[in-house]
Amino acid sequence: MDNSKRLVLTGFMGVGKSSVGRHLAQILKAERMDLDFFIEKNEKRKIADIIDIDGEDAYREIESANLRKLLNEYDAQVISLGGGTWIVDENRELIKRKGLTSIWLESTFEHCWYNIKFSHKERPLARDKDKARKLFEDRKKIYCLADWHFIIKPEYSSYDIAKLIYDEYFL
Ligand code: S3P
């Protein structure tokens, strides 16, 4: 078993990056970080406020700066990204340069949308279903640049997915 591999989880909003990351870190007995949480703690603002008040472009700058900080200053083995982090070229290059493996959690739009609707997390880029679906379709071609790809079936729990990743990637 190789327990030293570090990875980032990417995929659309609502696919379960944070909860899969939590379970995977528990299975690995490893440290995990969540980029969205890290940003809100560092910036002392909610991501939704940053996007709504400063705009998405400004948010992407803040997100990239925080990703840099997280990767330079911490060595967590499992990192859950925000849904748009992997879409930015500079972020993908940094993740590769740092030697982390990227894992794309893919599900259907309807499954992600269901989770978005039932979550308490405020997501400014997913307030409108048609716009969110368009974003989902546009982003697929970039998510698929990740090193690994796991297809999430709606009947899988976050733990099932974490275990699947562990079995296929760490054993
Ligand atoms: C975003 C996804 C969100 C958060 C921000 C922007 C996106 O994270 O980073 O609202 O662009 O897809 P989750 O994927 O964890 O919801």
Side-chain angles (χ1 to χ4, degrees):
M1 182 174 74
D2 180 355
N3 250 356
S4 66
K5 298 178 195 167
R6 298 182 70 204
L7 55 90
V8 295
L9 298 174
T10 184
F12 200 68
M13 292 174 267
V15 78
K17 300 177 292 293
S18 296
S19 40
V20 171
R22 195 171 58 243
H23 285 294
L24 185 58
Q26 269 165 10
I27 295 171
L28 288 166
K29 298 186 178 45
E31 201 190 327
R32 147 194 96 98
M33 290 184 88
D34 190 292
L35 181 61
D36 285 356
F37 181 79
F38 185 75
I39 293 171
E40 293 194 337
K41 194 160 154 263
N42 263 332
E43 302 298 320
K44 301 183 179 58
R45 295 172 75 189
K46 295 300 243 181
I47 289 175
D49 290 341
I50 303 176
I51 295 177
D52 282 336
I53 296 167
D54 301 355
E56 187 182 345
D57 289 350
Y59 172 66
R60 294 298 169 206
E61 302 273 325
I62 291 171
E63 183 181 46
S64 293
N66 276 278
L67 176 68
R68 245 186 336 268
K69 184 174 167 65
L70 191 156
L71 294 183
N72 284 336
E73 297 177 14
Y74 299 86
D75 56 6
Q77 196 176 356
V78 178
I79 298 166
S80 303
L81 302 176
T85 319
W86 180 254
I87 304 305
V88 178
D89 297 355
E90 172 194 337
N91 297 343
R92 290 197 305 281
E93 280 154 22
L94 176 67
I95 289 165
K96 283 185 189 161
R97 210 164 50 244
K98 291 276 179 190
L100 281 86
T101 299
S102 46
I103 296 185
W104 172 27
L105 304 181
E106 185 192 10
S107 189
T108 61
F109 174 72
E110 288 303 332
H111 180 219
C112 294
W113 185 251
Y114 178 88
N115 290 337
I116 289 169
K117 286 289 103 185
F118 284 95
S119 134
H120 294 297
K121 186 170 177 177
E122 175 75 9
R123 292 177 168 100
L125 303 181
R127 288 190 180 121
D128 175 280
K129 187 172 182 181
D130 289 337
K131 284 190 190 149
R133 191 198 306 276
K134 166 103 179 45
L135 200 57
F136 179 90
E137 292 302 331
D138 290 347
R139 284 180 172 179
K140 269 187 185 170
K141 58 182 178 298
I142 314 227
Y143 287 137
C144 76
L145 299 173
D147 301 314
W148 283 61
H149 178 198
F150 282 87
I151 297 185
I152 310 303
K153 300 207 177 112
E155 62 268 28
Y156 291 172
S157 70
S158 307
Y159 176 81
D160 294 338
I161 301 159
K163 186 73 174 53
L164 202 72
I165 295 174
Y166 175 76
D167 289 347
E168 289 201 24
Y169 185 63
F170 285 91
L171 286 184

